[in-house]
Amino acid sequence: MAAQTAALTGLARVNLRQQALTALRRAITTGALAPGTHLVETELSEQLQVSRGTLREALRQLQQEGLVSAGPRGWLSVRTLGAPEVLDVFAVRAALESMAVRTLSRREDRAAVVTALRERVRAMEQVVDRPLEDRVEADLDFHRALCELTGNATLLHTWQALEGSIRMSIMWAGTERAVSNMRVDRHAAIVDVIDAGDVTAAVDCVQAHMDEAAANLVS
Amino acid sequence: MAAQTAALTGLARVNLRQQALTALRRAITTGALAPGTHLVETELSEQLQVSRGTLREALRQLQQEGLVSAGPRGWLSVRTLGAPEVLDVFAVRAALESMAVRTLSRREDRAAVVTALRERVRAMEQVVDRPLEDRVEADLDFHRALCELTGNATLLHTWQALEGSIRMSIMWAGTERAVSNMRVDRHAAIVDVIDAGDVTAAVDCVQAHMDEAAANLVS
DNA sequence: AGGTGACCCACTGTCGACAGTCAACACTGG
DNA sequence: CCAGTGTTGACTGTCGACAGTGGGTCACCT
């Protein structure tokens, strides 16, 4: 019996709402569902093969994530992002991540944090030759880790609520403009200042990183 | 006709989901639904006289707002807040509002902003003798206005996603500890530094205000 | 032509019911 | 007594159907 239980792993049972949510989020952040597209519940539920009720729950969440916006009569459409919105998103993102590095660089036991972050930087290095999609993933992993490592669950949660909008911003800007934000050395620099424990330098570094990223995207 | 349209205001037609959402949020933030309470869909739908589907959409939103947390089997319960969580919430809140005042105090045309804020401060003055509930409302109005006046919709949206948690924190702390955070002069000071246009002073002021508020709540 | 009323159509809002799942408890053979 | 096995009850997950609503169209009246 022991041999069996060792071989058998728990089944991944994820409910339809979650699946629908993931599928929709992906469709939107990859551009498969173009901004402005009117989302008709009956159509989507048929395409995804889920009931409208289930679909609606997923749509509500996307709405709160800011990927989907509501029209006057409750009609939903894929949110249209423009330069001003992108700047807004990145301004808030900068505020959150600034707070994260301020917290991290104040910690006494930040050695472990630095180790974990360097791991992420290494992951970024390994995908420099891969398609943009993978690089974005590694980039966001790094930034998410910044929030996660603070141990502040609210911070992580808030950041993740922005994640969809961030992905949309990157997609909206297009490959050429996005790629310059994935530079590994810029991220390594952030880890270095955290390591050094210089709070103001760390905050400035992240703020600059974000300002530059936003400027690149809307340029 | 013009006279009529001026007098006639649009009828408040709010769907059941919204009503359920508001009712639940209120019940939680006032403590009518105590933290840790297991939320049974069938019970709630019967109490609120809405179908389970409608109720579920409202619950999902509350879940994302952090007022409701999910157990292992999809079971929902009112989130239990402790001192660490309160500090986390207020740390994120401080980051957001700091960013708001930084933005505001940099604006050339901040005179209008200052006017609007002083209006809110005046509103706070007028409710000093009223019950705590009203004072909290005025206080949050002020802080929400900080975010709103930046014109950054993402910032406002993010702040509002935290609003429920903030209210829970205040309720959790109890009247005595919460009341000292409603001091009018502390808020007037914030407006003053924005007016002066001193960016670093403004940020420090808000940060101090938030630190103090959080410390008061968990003391 | 201009306005008006009666339709229809494409949606969203809302509901009640069925199916699936887990924990707890009763049960049964050793 | 007890390990392992039905059984039950209390939930959540999911679904299909009906009702309501605003926009569009088209004949009709003036």
Side-chain angles (χ1 to χ4, degrees), chain A residues 86-206:
Chain A
V86 170
L87 290 176
D88 281 356
V89 169
F90 271 71
V92 176
R93 186 188 167 187
L96 294 177
E97 299 194 17
S98 294
M99 184 213 126
V101 296
R102 176 160 51 240
T103 307
L104 291 178
S105 56
R106 267 185 191 143
R107 292 245 299 246
E108 293 298 331
D109 62 334
R110 60 183 180 279
V113 169
V114 169
T115 306
L117 287 176
R118 291 211 195 282
E119 186 61 40
R120 299 299 206 293
V121 173
R122 205 159 22 244
M124 289 187 72
E125 281 170 357
Q126 288 175 349
V127 294
V128 284
D129 300 324
R130 304 265 280 282
L132 179 67
E133 200 176 328
D134 295 345
R135 302 188 63 185
V136 170
E137 220 58 46
D139 178 63
L140 292 181
D141 266 349
F142 175 85
H143 290 281
R144 191 186 306 109
L146 281 181
C147 299
E148 195 167 6
L149 289 167
T150 61
N152 184 331
T154 300
L155 174 61
L156 177 59
H157 191 260
T158 305
W159 189 90
Q160 284 178 320
L162 273 186
E163 188 171 349
S165 299
I166 297 172
R167 295 183 119 100
M168 276 194 84
S169 300
I170 295 173
M171 185 200 68
W172 170 81
T175 311
E176 317 77 39
R177 285 184 280 194
V179 76
S180 54
N181 288 336
M182 311 291 164
R183 284 177 50 193
V184 175
D185 57 339
R186 304 289 292 172
H187 294 78
I190 295 176
V191 184
D192 287 339
V193 287
I194 293 176
D195 196 7
D198 186 341
V199 178
T200 51
V203 171
D204 290 346
C205 185
V206 167

Side-chain angles (χ1 to χ4, degrees), chain B residues 14-17 49-54 57 73:
Chain B
V14 62
N15 52 21
L16 290 182
R17 174 180 65 250
Q49 289 290 307
V50 298
S51 78
R52 269 185 59 214
T54 303
E57 288 184 39
R73 205 163 117 206

Side-chain angles (χ1 to χ4, degrees), chain B residues 8-55:
Chain B
L8 287 173
T9 170
L11 302 177
R13 249 175 339 146
V14 62
N15 52 21
L16 290 182
R17 174 180 65 250
Q18 196 64 37
Q19 288 181 255
L21 178 60
T22 312
L24 285 172
R25 193 187 293 138
R26 183 171 176 75
I28 293 176
T29 55
T30 58
L33 282 173
T37 306
H38 176 201
L39 300 171
V40 180
E41 295 180 359
T42 48
E43 282 180 18
L44 289 178
S45 74
E46 190 164 355
Q47 280 189 267
L48 294 172
Q49 289 290 307
V50 298
S51 78
R52 269 185 59 214
T54 303
L55 176 78

